[in-house]
């Protein structure tokens, strides 16, 4: 019988400490300026590390209001259960839970890696299952908000059906446009949805990718695919 222990090397520990310091500096500034700071989601195999950081930041900065938002890729098979667990954890810890719901944009990578490493694909089998999971999550969140829980929700989507469903569910539960429900679309994509939402009094945001062309273009291609 052999027991293997895995720990961070000295250089890795230093990188982790530096990363946390930079993230705290950004979160401090966001809190000071009263703006939202959204932690994006990435590949499934290092998402737990991102979730750990996001939870730590929420506990620290979301006491009085929602400053830190975590992101959930709803094409992930485990996304709904993770969302429920994190909402329950925030309620128990008495801090404001805030999240951004996206569908997910690494389909080919996730499936190819699952085949290579011989484990079940971590994402849903088809588009409709993902749609159902996304719409089920937003309905659950709106119901929780209407029941008085400290929740903020960002619907980051270009999908008109999901946006219309959000408005319908919010209206059914008596949540006005001023409720803690936000909408986000990329600059240049689904502008008709953003402008319609803004014109109706909802808080709609245009997401502006910034950086070098070779860095921004792959991101935009993934969003188009998503």
């Amino acid at each position: 019988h052999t027991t293997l222990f895995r720990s961070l090397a000295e250089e890795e520990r230093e990188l982790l400490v530096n990363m946390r310091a930079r993230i705290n500096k950004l979160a401090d500034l966001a809190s000071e300026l009263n703006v939202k700071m959204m932690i994006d989601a990435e590949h499934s195999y290092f998402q737990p590390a991102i979730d750990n950081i996001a939870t730590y930041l929420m506990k620290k900065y979301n006491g009085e209001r929602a400053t830190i938002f975590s992101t959930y890729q709803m094409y992930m098979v485990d996304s709904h259960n993770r969302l429920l667990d994190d909402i329950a954890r925030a309620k128990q810890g008495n801090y404001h839970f805030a999240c951004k719901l996206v569908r997910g944009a690494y389909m080919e990578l996730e499936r190819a890696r699952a085949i290579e490493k011989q484990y079940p694909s971590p994402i849903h089998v088809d588009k409709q299952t993902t749609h159902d999971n996304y719409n089920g999550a937003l309905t659950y969140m709106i119901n929780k908000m209407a029941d008085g829980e400290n929740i903020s929700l960002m619907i980051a989507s270009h999908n008109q059906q999901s946006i219309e469903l959000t408005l319908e569910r919010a209206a059914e539960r008596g949540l006005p446009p001023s409720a803690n429900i936000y909408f986000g679309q990329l600059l240049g994509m689904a502008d008709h949805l953003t402008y319609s939402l803004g014109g109706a009094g909802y808080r709609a945001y245009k997401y502006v990718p910034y950086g070098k062309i070779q860095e921004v273009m792959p991101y935009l291609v993934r969003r188009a695919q998503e």
Side-chain angles (χ1 to χ4, degrees):
H1 177 73
T2 303
T3 302
L4 298 178
F5 295 94
R6 177 71 176 99
S7 62
L8 295 176
E10 183 62 35
E11 182 182 358
E12 291 172 324
R13 285 196 292 271
E14 184 178 346
L15 288 171
L16 178 61
V17 169
N18 291 340
M19 179 188 68
R20 282 191 172 243
R22 289 193 294 270
I23 290 174
N24 273 304
K25 187 174 181 180
L26 289 170
D28 280 340
L29 183 60
S31 181
E32 178 185 336
L33 298 178
N34 192 21
V35 299
K36 315 299 182 189
M37 177 174 165
M38 300 197 174
I39 311 296
D40 260 339
E42 293 295 339
H43 307 151
S44 62
Y45 46 93
F46 54 84
Q47 186 59 46
I50 298 173
D51 290 341
N52 179 268
I53 292 169
T55 300
Y56 156 75
L57 291 173
M58 270 198 224
K59 289 178 180 178
K60 182 175 181 181
Y61 294 97
N62 285 15
E64 296 181 1
R65 60 179 182 265
T67 297
I68 307 298
F69 282 63
S70 187
T71 300
Y72 295 80
Q73 299 181 103
M74 301 313 294
Y75 73 171
M76 299 294 294
V77 173
D78 67 349
S79 57
H80 192 79
N81 286 336
R82 284 173 41 233
L83 187 62
L84 301 190
D85 289 344
D86 291 345
I87 291 172
R89 183 181 297 111
K91 185 176 182 180
Q92 185 177 22
N94 197 30
Y95 58 89
H96 200 121
F97 179 77
C99 77
K100 178 175 72 170
L101 298 185
V102 302
R103 277 173 164 76
Y106 299 105
M107 287 85 69
E108 294 177 6
L109 182 149
E110 293 286 7
R111 286 178 176 145
R113 190 175 191 274
I115 292 171
E116 177 189 351
K117 302 292 184 181
Q118 298 183 331
Y119 61 80
S121 173
I123 67 175
H124 286 297
V125 295
D126 56 36
K127 185 165 66 172
Q128 188 56 52
T129 310
T130 299
H131 287 332
D132 293 343
N133 193 40
Y134 191 99
N135 293 335
L138 71 85
T139 298
Y140 180 85
M141 296 282 287
I142 288 171
N143 285 334
K144 284 288 186 181
M145 293 174 65
D147 291 340
E149 296 203 16
N150 289 327
I151 287 177
S152 289
L153 172 64
M154 164 67 83
I155 301 296
S157 176
H158 303 103
N159 185 285
Q160 185 166 339
Q161 181 186 17
S162 292
I163 291 171
E164 290 176 349
L165 180 64
T166 303
L167 301 182
E168 290 172 10
R169 295 290 180 264
E172 289 169 0
R173 295 304 310 269
L175 296 175
S178 59
N180 292 328
I181 301 176
Y182 308 89
F183 298 88
Q185 290 87 38
L186 275 165
L187 182 66
M189 290 180 67
D191 290 341
H192 65 291
L193 296 177
T194 317
Y195 299 150
S196 296
L197 287 164
Y202 293 93
R203 285 175 283 189
Y205 295 81
K206 297 306 280 186
Y207 194 97
V208 185
Y210 177 83
K212 297 177 181 179
I213 291 293
Q214 63 267 29
E215 296 173 350
V216 171
M217 286 308 297
Y219 175 89
L220 292 175
V221 169
R222 290 198 302 273
R223 296 289 81 75
Q225 183 183 31
E226 184 176 16

